[in-house]
mmCIF file of all heavy atoms in Angstrom:
data_model
loop_
_atom_site.group_PDB
_atom_site.id
_atom_site.type_symbol
_atom_site.label_atom_id
_atom_site.label_comp_id
_atom_site.label_asym_id
_atom_site.label_seq_id
_atom_site.Cartn_x
_atom_site.Cartn_y
_atom_site.Cartn_z
ATOM 1 N N CYS A 777 66.410 58.956 170.640
ATOM 2 C CA CYS A 777 67.885 58.663 170.971
ATOM 3 C C CYS A 777 68.848 58.827 169.812
ATOM 4 O O CYS A 777 69.963 59.279 169.822
ATOM 5 C CB CYS A 777 67.976 57.228 171.586
ATOM 6 S SG CYS A 777 69.503 56.783 171.985
ATOM 7 N N ASN A 781 71.770 61.502 169.776
ATOM 8 C CA ASN A 781 73.069 61.120 170.012
ATOM 9 C C ASN A 781 73.826 60.578 168.619
ATOM 10 O O ASN A 781 74.829 59.996 168.722
ATOM 11 C CB ASN A 781 72.971 59.696 170.922
ATOM 12 C CG ASN A 781 72.588 60.138 172.294
ATOM 13 O OD1 ASN A 781 73.256 60.797 172.923
ATOM 14 N ND2 ASN A 781 71.387 59.509 172.649
ATOM 15 N N TRP A 799 71.049 52.622 170.182
ATOM 16 C CA TRP A 799 71.478 52.587 171.506
ATOM 17 C C TRP A 799 70.342 52.093 172.346
ATOM 18 O O TRP A 799 70.607 51.633 173.574
ATOM 19 C CB TRP A 799 71.865 53.748 172.106
ATOM 20 C CG TRP A 799 73.218 54.498 171.520
ATOM 21 C CD1 TRP A 799 73.977 53.759 170.572
ATOM 22 C CD2 TRP A 799 73.973 55.552 171.892
ATOM 23 N NE1 TRP A 799 75.008 54.487 170.384
ATOM 24 C CE2 TRP A 799 75.185 55.554 171.111
ATOM 25 C CE3 TRP A 799 73.753 56.512 172.799
ATOM 26 C CZ2 TRP A 799 76.008 56.600 171.156
ATOM 27 C CZ3 TRP A 799 74.607 57.592 173.007
ATOM 28 C CH2 TRP A 799 75.709 57.611 172.203
ATOM 29 N N LEU A 821 68.003 49.496 177.101
ATOM 30 C CA LEU A 821 69.316 50.404 176.886
ATOM 31 C C LEU A 821 70.196 49.960 177.922
ATOM 32 O O LEU A 821 70.115 49.053 178.717
ATOM 33 C CB LEU A 821 68.772 51.827 177.105
ATOM 34 C CG LEU A 821 68.168 52.149 178.453
ATOM 35 C CD1 LEU A 821 68.181 53.731 178.697
ATOM 36 C CD2 LEU A 821 66.715 51.647 178.643
ATOM 37 N N CYS A 903 74.332 53.572 175.220
ATOM 38 C CA CYS A 903 73.474 54.719 175.928
ATOM 39 C C CYS A 903 74.420 55.346 177.047
ATOM 40 O O CYS A 903 75.015 54.671 177.698
ATOM 41 C CB CYS A 903 72.320 54.107 176.463
ATOM 42 S SG CYS A 903 71.546 55.186 177.871
ATOM 43 N N THR A 904 74.355 56.629 177.108
ATOM 44 C CA THR A 904 75.104 57.407 178.071
ATOM 45 C C THR A 904 74.182 58.119 179.100
ATOM 46 O O THR A 904 74.742 59.025 179.800
ATOM 47 C CB THR A 904 76.036 58.484 177.282
ATOM 48 O OG1 THR A 904 75.092 59.351 176.748
ATOM 49 C CG2 THR A 904 76.928 57.896 176.254
ATOM 50 N N PHE A 905 72.900 57.760 179.068
ATOM 51 C CA PHE A 905 72.029 58.529 179.925
ATOM 52 C C PHE A 905 71.904 60.019 179.450
ATOM 53 O O PHE A 905 71.809 60.966 180.204
ATOM 54 C CB PHE A 905 72.390 58.549 181.478
ATOM 55 C CG PHE A 905 71.621 57.372 182.264
ATOM 56 C CD1 PHE A 905 71.906 57.246 183.588
ATOM 57 C CD2 PHE A 905 70.564 56.759 181.616
ATOM 58 C CE1 PHE A 905 71.250 56.213 184.260
ATOM 59 C CE2 PHE A 905 69.934 55.739 182.369
ATOM 60 C CZ PHE A 905 70.308 55.528 183.718
ATOM 61 N N CYS A 906 72.336 60.108 178.186
ATOM 62 C CA CYS A 906 72.340 61.536 177.572
ATOM 63 C C CYS A 906 73.230 62.434 178.476
ATOM 64 O O CYS A 906 72.740 63.516 178.923
ATOM 65 C CB CYS A 906 70.854 62.200 177.453
ATOM 66 S SG CYS A 906 69.872 61.429 176.123
ATOM 67 N N THR A 931 66.168 63.097 179.673
ATOM 68 C CA THR A 931 66.861 62.400 178.604
ATOM 69 C C THR A 931 66.000 62.507 177.427
ATOM 70 O O THR A 931 64.763 62.837 177.386
ATOM 71 C CB THR A 931 67.127 60.880 178.988
ATOM 72 O OG1 THR A 931 65.876 60.294 179.063
ATOM 73 C CG2 THR A 931 68.017 60.736 180.196
ATOM 74 N N CYS A 933 65.035 60.225 175.287
ATOM 75 C CA CYS A 933 63.967 59.151 175.213
ATOM 76 C C CYS A 933 62.816 59.557 176.078
ATOM 77 O O CYS A 933 61.663 59.278 175.698
ATOM 78 C CB CYS A 933 64.650 57.770 175.597
ATOM 79 S SG CYS A 933 65.565 57.717 177.057
HETATM 80 FE FE1 SF4 B 1001 69.493 57.196 174.372
HETATM 81 FE FE2 SF4 B 1001 69.791 59.105 176.254
HETATM 82 FE FE3 SF4 B 1001 67.675 57.346 176.317
HETATM 83 FE FE4 SF4 B 1001 70.231 56.468 176.826
HETATM 84 S S1 SF4 B 1001 69.025 57.948 178.079
HETATM 85 S S2 SF4 B 1001 68.692 55.492 175.557
HETATM 86 S S3 SF4 B 1001 71.342 57.851 175.394
HETATM 87 S S4 SF4 B 1001 68.102 58.875 174.785
#
Side-chain angles (χ1 to χ4, degrees):
C777 181
N781 294 298
W799 289 5
L821 60 162
C903 161
T904 62
F905 263 175
C906 287
T931 63
C933 50

